[in-house]
Amino acid sequence: MSQHDLFSDDASASTSTANTSATNSAPSEQIIALREQINLHNHRYYVLDEPSIPDAEYDRLLRELQTLEQENPSLVTPDSPTQRVGAAPLAGFTSVTHERPMLSLDNAMNGEEFIAFDQRVLDRLKSTDTVEYACEPKLDGLAISLLYEDGLLVRAATRGDGQTGEDVTQNVRTIKNVPLRLRGDDYPQRIEIRGEVYMLKAGFEAYNERARANDTKLFANPRNAAAGSLRQLDPQITAQRPLEFCAYSIGVVSDEATLPNTHADILYKLKEWGVRINEEMRVVQGIAEAEAFFQQLGEKRHSLAYEIDGTVFKVNDLTLQERLGFVARAPRWAIAYKFPAVEQMTELLGVDFQVGRTGALTPVARLQPVHVAGVTVSNATLHNMDEVARLGVRIGDTVIIRRAGDVIPQIVSVVEDRRPETTIEITMPETCPVCDSHIEKVEGEAVARCTGGLVCSAQRKEAIKHFASRKALDVEGLGDKLIDQLVDAGLIDSVDDLFHLTLEQLSGLERMAEKSAQNVLDALETAKKTTLGRFLYALGIREVGTVTAQNLAAHFGFLERIMNASNEQLLEVADVGVIVAAHVTNFFAEEHNRTVIEQLQKAGISWEEQEPTKAEDAPLSGQIAVITGTLSDITREQAKTLLERLGVKVTGSVSAKTDFLVAGEKAGSKLAKAQQLDVTVLDEAAFIEMLAEHGLSVADA
């Protein structure tokens, strides 16, 4: 025990008087008197935080009791302060079935979710009255059940899965603020007290310091430290760990008991019986006061001696709790409202660059592992090189990191006054760390990307899914899940591998019958006949959508001309600006991509190439059209593509400048407005007929 050197004259005097009289009494009376004194001081120190004697005096009393009990072993009882530690190591823990399940709590991650919880309570109670809530810090530890019979601790069990836990009685007896016998005489004959076993921040840090010095395993966080300490098979080891217990509810209670009818008053009753409750607990009226309590506790959380990760709110009235009841795993009358981000300082050891599914390179900081918000963090995102520059961060810096819930930790600032002279600048690699393709960083964009979109394994799945999508080559039956299967099975590495799949390979996949496999092969064969615009879009060049792809195809007419075009030539194309031109140039400058295109053409992908038509020479150049409703033989996107090939500008709204409206089924307000403005309206049949007049068909889309 490590009590503070704080004591009152009254308490000291009463101790001295009691000892003087005890020495003249029979051993049994002396033992009883000493136990009462030691239990009183334990209660003052561990439960009330009001120590009344110095450490030396407490140790003297405990040694005196130990001596008397050694001399009179028949007088030793299980609730004696000397019996907290003494059991032999266990071979294993036995299971305990909870008489009442130990349920978990639902979480609220923000104010909206918390307000929604309050509204659910009111709705279920069919009430508009203000609800009274008991508010408690949510301790970050291990849930425990303590069973007392006739005031004596007879069993302690972990929560486990809520239905079944482990018997950890011998270990819990070593926790100094767990009473081995309840105080007073008005407690129920049988009562289960539930709460949290946790480790104080100072105790956690001190333990890990000793572990580092002894080169033994470190605990990741106080919660793991508490859980690991409580599940030691040797109670002597648990006794060395700075654990504490705090009650938050009760479970089973014997029938003769008469308890208060509110949650808070029950906790105050537990305190009278010598059980610690959290002194931060408050009772508030309504959601507004509850939110205010949450904010106030959040502001002081870092100054608390223990870790908390939120606030628990419980409907205070037990009658209302019964009316609200439970869902499968949680009570409807309680919720855990979680706190936002937590910050810590650590050292930046190095930076790795990860390649995302779209080719974006993200610098990821390798950190000296540090405990943040309940987990050990060893990596944090730096987002992009613009963020690196904004932070001014260098390898070797001391940085502040933030972790909010399950969000990836991020570096928020540099502690510049701790910067050593040996820091190293963070630089972007020149080639992709995955496929060795060149890295593209377009002026005005924050993100740098790998240009090997068709060959980079980090982008493989997304590239293939895009290539086969409806607006690209439109391979019917080749959906995202099937592509995932094909890649995971190692059957395809790149888009050109699609056209070398066999019936045997496809039908061998899970849930892929031979007929379905043949349908996919047939669809792949059909997809080989396409248009230059669709093929360009299918390549997945950054910022090149269907319209831009079609404009490129219409302007150049031949793929080879596009692949070899300069930035200046690309800028002549409608809808192509500086950034898009750079993306196109960089994509085709990558030899890997050209190789895949060559392989696709060898596999049979083809389209009709012809000399481009100048925009002013297009048959419907300068006209404006709008498409609305549902078309049956062609999609609206395809219709738009075909109209643009004819020189038509397709807009989204009808005006007096609109030349004609293509109206499918269920055309609504746009059709009405066109009729009001006397704009020409073409149904789908008339639209297809108009295309035919200009040498186009649905198949050309």
Side-chain angles (χ1 to χ4, degrees):
M1 177 162 182
S2 57
Q3 299 203 42
H4 303 296
D5 264 340
L6 298 172
F7 60 93
S8 65
D9 291 337
D10 291 341
S12 181
S14 65
T15 300
S16 299
T17 303
N19 287 344
T20 302
S21 59
T23 54
N24 299 321
S25 306
S28 60
E29 295 173 346
Q30 294 178 45
I31 286 173
I32 290 172
L34 283 167
R35 287 176 184 167
E36 289 178 351
Q37 292 173 56
I38 293 170
N39 285 335
L40 172 64
H41 294 307
N42 277 339
H43 177 67
R44 284 175 172 168
Y45 184 82
Y46 289 111
V47 178
L48 302 181
D49 287 327
E50 297 172 357
S52 55
I53 60 172
D55 291 351
E57 177 61 15
Y58 178 88
D59 292 337
R60 187 190 67 77
L61 292 173
L62 189 60
R63 283 195 300 272
E64 186 176 346
L65 176 60
Q66 288 171 333
T67 300
L68 284 169
E69 288 183 345
Q70 287 170 0
E71 293 172 354
N72 301 276
S74 62
L75 299 179
V76 177
T77 59
D79 60 334
S80 171
T82 64
Q83 299 305 297
R84 286 196 176 273
V85 185
L90 301 171
F93 296 109
T94 58
S95 295
V96 173
T97 300
H98 299 299
E99 295 176 52
R100 287 182 59 184
M102 294 184 70
L103 301 178
S104 56
L105 296 178
D106 286 334
N107 293 329
M109 304 307 294
N110 52 53
E112 289 77 14
E113 293 179 4
F114 185 45
I115 292 170
F117 159 73
D118 179 65
Q119 190 59 52
R120 288 195 299 272
V121 169
L122 293 172
D123 290 346
R124 185 163 286 274
L125 293 175
K126 295 180 171 59
S127 171
T128 57
D129 295 337
T130 298
V131 177
E132 187 176 78
Y133 290 107
C135 321
E136 306 164 59
K138 186 178 182 299
L139 296 168
D140 200 14
L142 187 72
I144 289 291
S145 160
L146 307 179
L147 182 63
Y148 288 85
E149 293 180 353
D150 296 319
L152 187 69
L153 176 66
V154 297
R155 191 186 69 202
T158 62
R159 177 184 177 273
D161 63 3
Q163 301 290 335
T164 305
E166 293 178 320
D167 189 327
V168 288
T169 307
Q170 297 302 329
N171 288 349
V172 168
R173 288 174 63 86
T174 71
I175 301 174
K176 303 259 189 329
N177 75 334
V178 172
L180 301 180
R181 177 178 290 279
L182 298 177
R183 297 172 60 80
D185 56 9
D186 62 338
Y187 42 75
Q189 184 274 326
R190 191 167 185 268
I191 183 170
E192 177 193 12
I193 300 172
R194 294 177 172 180
E196 201 89 357
V197 169
Y198 57 100
M199 186 177 286
L200 296 178
K201 293 176 185 176
F204 167 75
E205 295 297 341
Y207 177 87
N208 270 356
E209 276 188 28
R210 290 193 298 273
R212 288 188 192 97
N214 298 325
D215 199 26
T216 56
K217 181 181 177 181
L218 302 180
F219 280 122
N221 53 58
R223 184 187 187 283
N224 287 351
S229 299
L230 202 59
R231 298 193 72 260
Q232 292 292 324
L233 294 175
D234 187 353
Q236 300 277 355
I237 296 177
T238 304
Q240 298 169 18
R241 308 284 171 82
L243 300 178
E244 295 200 3
F245 172 82
C246 182
Y248 57 65
S249 70
I250 59 173
V252 294
V253 181
S254 52
D255 292 337
E256 94 287 344
T258 301
L259 294 174
N261 62 358
T262 69
H263 173 77
D265 287 339
I266 285 178
L267 292 186
Y268 290 132
K269 198 67 180 174
L270 294 180
K271 183 178 180 180
E272 291 179 20
W273 295 334
V275 181
R276 170 174 282 181
I277 64 172
N278 198 293
E279 295 300 321
E280 299 293 333
M281 186 191 74
R282 299 288 184 274
V283 174
V284 300
Q285 304 299 321
I287 190 70
E289 288 187 16
E291 177 68 35
F293 177 88
F294 174 81
Q295 298 297 336
Q296 291 164 7
L297 188 63
E299 291 173 3
K300 67 187 299 186
R301 64 181 295 203
H302 298 298
S303 64
L304 297 175
Y306 43 83
E307 291 278 2
I308 62 174
D309 58 1
T311 306
V312 175
F313 294 90
K314 301 173 183 174
V315 174
N316 197 32
D317 189 313
L318 301 188
T319 303
L320 296 183
Q321 286 188 12
E322 289 182 8
R323 286 176 57 189
L324 290 164
F326 302 81
V327 291
R329 54 173 290 278
R332 291 193 179 99
W333 40 263
I335 198 163
Y337 189 0
K338 293 298 193 72
F339 287 129
V342 173
E343 297 181 350
Q344 275 287 9
M345 285 196 309
T346 189
E347 183 184 353
L348 174 58
L349 303 177
V351 173
D352 299 319
F353 286 85
Q354 293 183 350
V355 184
R357 57 190 179 87
T358 62
L361 266 71
T362 302
V364 177
R366 282 185 284 109
L367 306 168
Q368 182 67 42
V370 64
H371 170 73
V372 187
V375 300
T376 297
V377 173
S378 55
N379 295 294
T381 181
L382 282 164
H383 298 292
N384 51 58
M385 293 304 291
D386 285 359
E387 179 70 0
V388 171
R390 185 189 70 81
L391 292 168
V393 64
R394 298 169 63 93
I395 297 169
D397 272 335
T398 296
V399 295
I400 295 175
I401 60 171
R402 175 186 294 149
R403 178 179 179 269
D406 294 328
V407 177
I408 299 171
Q410 60 180 328
I411 293 178
V412 294
S413 62
V414 176
V415 185
E416 293 188 3
D417 59 0
R418 293 195 178 191
R419 171 170 285 173
E421 295 180 359
T422 54
T423 59
I424 302 171
E425 183 182 356
I426 300 169
T427 57
M428 173 69 68
E430 293 183 0
T431 60
C432 173
V434 174
C435 70
D436 205 34
S437 296
H438 291 93
I439 300 301
E440 172 192 63
K441 176 68 166 66
V442 177
E443 186 177 351
E445 284 196 340
V447 177
R449 297 181 187 274
C450 165
T451 58
L454 296 179
V455 296
C456 184
S457 62
Q459 306 172 63
R460 180 183 300 146
K461 286 184 178 180
E462 287 303 309
I464 298 171
K465 289 173 184 178
H466 177 80
F467 186 83
S469 65
R470 182 175 58 82
K471 294 180 182 180
L473 260 66
D474 193 18
V475 183
E476 189 173 345
L478 190 61
D480 290 357
K481 291 183 179 179
L482 179 55
I483 290 171
D484 288 339
Q485 280 185 283
L486 290 167
V487 173
D488 293 342
L491 296 178
I492 55 175
D493 288 324
S494 182
V495 291
D496 56 300
D497 290 335
L498 289 170
F499 300 95
H500 300 288
L501 289 170
T502 66
L503 181 63
E504 183 181 4
Q505 288 174 325
L506 282 169
S507 58
L509 296 173
E510 185 179 356
R511 297 181 180 179
M512 179 61 73
E514 187 170 313
K515 183 177 180 180
S516 299
Q518 186 60 55
N519 289 340
V520 172
L521 291 177
D522 292 342
L524 284 165
E525 190 64 31
T526 300
K528 289 180 180 180
K529 182 64 175 178
T530 186
T531 66
L532 178 55
R534 277 180 169 272
F535 183 76
L536 284 171
Y537 174 72
L539 294 178
I541 305 169
R542 291 286 302 164
E543 306 275 353
V544 176
T546 55
V547 173
T548 303
Q550 183 55 45
N551 289 344
L552 286 166
H555 182 87
F556 289 99
F558 295 84
L559 176 61
E560 187 177 358
R561 294 177 183 176
I562 301 171
M563 294 173 67
N564 298 324
S566 65
N567 269 23
E568 291 73 17
Q569 291 171 321
L570 290 168
L571 289 172
E572 295 175 2
V573 180
D575 198 38
V576 172
V578 174
I579 291 177
V580 173
H583 288 318
V584 174
T585 301
N586 292 335
F587 181 88
F588 289 117
E590 184 56 57
E591 194 60 38
H592 297 313
N593 293 333
R594 286 177 172 260
T595 300
V596 173
I597 291 170
E598 182 181 344
Q599 295 301 319
L600 286 168
Q601 290 178 302
K602 285 183 179 179
I605 303 290
S606 64
W607 53 87
E608 184 180 342
E609 292 186 317
Q610 59 186 9
E611 288 296 332
T613 302
K614 295 181 180 179
E616 59 270 21
D617 296 334
L620 300 180
S621 176
Q623 292 197 25
I624 298 174
V626 175
I627 306 170
T628 189
T630 302
L631 303 173
S632 57
D633 294 331
I634 188 173
T635 67
R636 285 166 58 171
E637 190 64 34
Q638 289 172 327
K640 180 182 177 184
T641 299
L642 292 173
L643 286 173
E644 288 172 340
R645 288 180 64 178
L646 296 174
V648 178
K649 180 180 180 181
V650 181
T651 64
S653 59
V654 177
S655 71
K657 296 181 179 179
T658 304
D659 291 290
F660 62 92
L661 174 80
V662 178
E665 295 180 5
K666 298 180 181 178
S669 59
K670 292 179 183 178
L671 174 59
K673 188 169 183 180
Q675 291 170 337
Q676 179 185 350
L677 295 174
D678 201 24
V679 171
T680 300
V681 176
L682 302 178
D683 61 15
E684 185 169 0
F687 170 63
I688 292 174
E689 184 179 345
M690 183 196 75
L691 292 176
E693 291 174 357
H694 297 289
L696 294 177
S697 68
V698 172
D700 295 317

